[in-house]
Amino acid sequence: MAEDGGFLFWDVSGTGEEYDIWLLGPDLEAIRFGGESLTDFFGRVTGPSAALVLGPGTEPLPARFEGFSEATLARGTQAES
């Protein structure tokens, strides 16, 4: 689930090497094409065409994503113990 309540889904009926990626908007009615692969999807949502995928008025996402902090990773390790 996306921060705005939207969902990504894959069209598994395709015949290509990868499944097309689609985004179902938070209204659960708007469906937008995300890309033909993960590489294509990330290129679209981090570039000028982001609003076509993420919705009108949406700014492109940063091309670099924040990783987990050491504290978050440590909590995960503690939970496994």
Side-chain angles (χ1 to χ4, degrees), residues 5-6 15 17 22 27-28 30-31 34 42 44-45 49 51-52 54 57 59 67 69-70 72 76-78 80-81:
T15 57
E17 290 184 24
W22 295 82
D27 62 3
L28 303 180
I31 298 175
F42 284 118
R44 289 172 187 258
V45 298
S49 62
L52 297 174
L54 301 173
E59 295 291 321
S69 69
E70 298 236 4
T72 301
T77 303
Q78 291 170 352
E80 292 176 2
S81 303

Side-chain angles (χ1 to χ4, degrees), residues 5-60:
F7 293 91
L8 288 179
F9 64 95
W10 282 255
D11 178 4
V12 298
S13 66
T15 57
E17 290 184 24
E18 295 193 42
Y19 300 129
D20 288 346
I21 300 169
W22 295 82
L23 185 124
L24 176 63
D27 62 3
L28 303 180
E29 292 182 6
I31 298 175
R32 296 181 191 89
F33 180 69
E36 296 177 351
S37 66
L38 281 174
T39 303
D40 186 31
F41 173 76
F42 284 118
R44 289 172 187 258
V45 298
T46 59
S49 62
L52 297 174
V53 178
L54 301 173
T58 306
E59 295 291 321

